[in-house]
Amino acid sequence: MAHSHDVPTDLTRNQGLVLGALNHSESPLSAYDILDKLRADGLRAPLQVYRALDKLVERGLAHRLESLNAFVACADEHCHRKGLIAFAICEGCGKVDEFADSVIEERLGHWAGAKGFKVERTTMEIRGKCEACVAAA
Amino acid sequence: MAHSHDVPTDLTRNQGLVLGALNHSESPLSAYDILDKLRADGLRAPLQVYRALDKLVERGLAHRLESLNAFVACADEHCHRKGLIAFAICEGCGKVDEFADSVIEERLGHWAGAKGFKVERTTMEIRGKCEACVAAA
DNA sequence: GCGGCAAGTGTAATAACATAACATATCACG
DNA sequence: CGTGATATGTTATGTTATTACACTTGCCGC
């Protein structure tokens, strides 16, 4: 079994490097973490990383975690997800679990409809401890 | 009608100033925005603001908006809210609408229970346009 | 009163995250 | 070819947040 994800072939060099770094990591990386990992590959400035991240996030290949100022590769290997995605972030080990819940999505849609609010994007992040870390405590 | 909220009397000077600044604002303020507003009152360093914000957030008198790196006063004047709070943030006018939804809360609890994940806190932020700004567009 | 502790404050320095501005390069396509 | 769109490289700067340390204030027990 391949641990690494299959990666679209039409990424630019920098985008490929950045996505590779995210795919290799067990936990979220800040833009500067990524930069440090990619200095050996010739990257030198934050902007090179931020630009690649923008494109990857735009295409759904990576996600930004707002409460961490950090990024993860999309957990869904082949097709980037549609709709609302929630993240459970473990404060113990740093791992992130990505999931979708159509009931929540529908519920938010309902609220927005009632208020006349036009949703553009939604951030949903749960902070806490994963099962393993609770057990270890 | 009082536009300002009633404010607990046991706040320290800095906490009171910071909460006052948030209550006066129509939209979220960054810590540095707050600092600028309070220079006339003698505040000089970011830390003075961040320390006050920490306490206010801890007590539920203010909320941090992760996707904005900014803060708002709690919309609920008298008792700070329990449980999950969601925010709808208008990209047009900057206004923030705060609401709770017990179905969503229950749904997240269910997911967490099934996974053995111990939730400590949850961030939920909708970005988009409010009714007025959609109409104006 | 006064010793001692907890919480709050003031200040400077620095760390961590993110973007502006500008020049150059690469590539699809007419 | 040439031209426009996209990507890149680089420097400088802007914005958000914390560390470290010294001092003050209020409170409680003795």
Side-chain angles (χ1 to χ4, degrees), chain B residues 50-62:
Chain B
Y50 280 108
R51 286 199 279 226
L53 285 168
D54 280 349
K55 292 299 177 192
L56 294 172
V57 168
E58 194 178 302
R59 294 183 51 174
L61 298 169

Side-chain angles (χ1 to χ4, degrees), chain A residues 56-134:
Chain A
L56 294 172
V57 169
E58 193 178 303
R59 295 182 51 173
L61 298 169
H63 304 292
R64 176 186 176 89
L65 301 175
E66 300 285 358
S67 69
L68 244 38
N69 294 327
F71 301 82
V72 286
C74 179
D76 193 334
E77 288 201 23
H78 298 299
C79 50
H80 66 278
R81 294 188 195 251
K82 310 292 185 194
L84 182 146
I85 307 173
F87 301 92
I89 302 165
C90 176
E91 322 243 69
C93 61
K95 285 198 190 127
V96 174
D97 203 333
E98 177 181 336
F99 66 101
D101 184 307
S102 59
V103 173
I104 293 176
E105 190 163 2
E106 190 231 308
R107 207 65 197 159
L108 282 179
H110 180 262
W111 181 92
K115 285 280 188 179
F117 191 95
K118 178 155 172 277
V119 176
E120 269 150 27
R121 89 200 138 78
T122 301
T123 294
M124 193 156 165
E125 300 174 17
I126 305 175
R127 307 289 294 266
K129 290 239 203 288
C130 71
E131 185 159 36
C133 288
V134 170

Side-chain angles (χ1 to χ4, degrees), chain A residues 3-47:
Chain A
H3 166 264
S4 314
H5 299 187
D6 289 342
V7 156
T9 54
D10 63 337
L11 295 177
T12 66
R13 170 180 156 80
N14 288 359
Q15 290 163 19
L17 288 169
V18 168
L19 184 54
L22 290 175
N23 275 330
H24 264 82
S25 173
E26 286 290 300
S27 40
L29 297 176
S30 76
Y32 282 76
D33 291 339
I34 295 170
L35 178 56
D36 287 341
K37 283 178 184 286
L38 295 179
R39 285 199 199 277
D41 297 290
L43 294 207
R44 311 208 191 154
L47 205 49

